[in-house]
């Protein structure tokens, strides 16, 4: 859902709601599209039009397998992490998985550039 927050304040409000809904030591797991979606060649997703330049820029992506165009709002990982910390979360890790030959998938740039990041946060 972080793709759809049109303002940083909307993101901050939702992070506060997530924080308040968790028990102490509870985790929040965010899957976030990387900026590379708009420039690299991926098997399942592609950016449409000009890539976003700054946080809050509107952009479009196409899910190739569904031929579905989606309008998103770009937020950098740094911006999400900063807003998460302001809400009280502790950053556990940011994982940027790459494709592997053993996956037996028709990957393209996924071997060098991860299309998504996993941001793992904890409520202390």
């Amino acid at each position: 859902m972080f793709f759809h927050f049109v303002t940083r304040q909307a993101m901050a409000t939702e992070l506060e709601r997530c924080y308040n809904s968790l028990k102490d030591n509870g985790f929040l797991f965010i899957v976030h599209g990387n900026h590379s979606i708009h420039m690299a060649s991926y098997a399942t997703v592609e950016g449409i039009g000009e890539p976003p330049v700054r946080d809050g820029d509107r952009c479009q992506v196409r899910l190739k397998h569904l031929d579905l165009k989606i309008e998103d709002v770009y937020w950098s990982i740094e911006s999400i992490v900063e807003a998460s910390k302001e809400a009280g979360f502790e950053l556990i890790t940011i994982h940027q998985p790459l494709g592997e030959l053993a996956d037996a998938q028709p990957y393209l740039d996924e071997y060098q550039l991860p299309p998504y990041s996993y941001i793992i946060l904890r409520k202390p």
Side-chain angles (χ1 to χ4, degrees), residues 8-117:
R8 191 178 187 286
Q9 182 56 49
M11 178 181 14
T13 298
E14 189 60 32
L15 283 164
E16 288 174 15
R17 288 179 58 195
C18 291
Y19 184 89
N20 291 332
S21 71
L22 290 172
K23 293 181 180 180
D24 289 348
N25 294 311
F27 291 91
L28 177 63
F29 182 84
I30 298 171
V31 178
H32 177 66
N34 290 329
H35 192 264
S36 58
I37 284 177
H38 302 281
M39 297 173 293
S41 178
Y42 294 120
T44 60
V45 65
E46 69 179 344
I48 300 171
E50 293 297 316
V53 176
R54 59 190 154 286
D55 285 330
D57 280 355
R58 291 180 184 265
C59 53
Q60 286 190 334
V61 297
R62 182 173 75 91
L63 304 178
K64 293 179 177 181
H65 289 45
L66 302 173
D67 195 27
L68 176 65
K69 293 179 185 177
I70 301 170
E71 183 172 302
D72 286 338
V73 178
Y74 172 72
W75 298 103
S76 66
I77 294 170
E78 294 81 11
S79 182
I80 294 173
V81 169
E82 181 181 309
S84 299
K85 287 181 178 179
E86 289 169 6
F89 283 103
E90 170 189 7
L91 175 65
I92 300 300
T93 192
I94 298 170
H95 178 64
Q96 296 184 311
L98 292 173
E100 298 180 11
L101 291 174
D103 295 340
Q105 295 295 317
Y107 292 139
L108 303 169
D109 285 344
E110 288 90 342
Y111 296 115
Q112 294 84 31
L113 295 169
Y116 300 99
S117 291

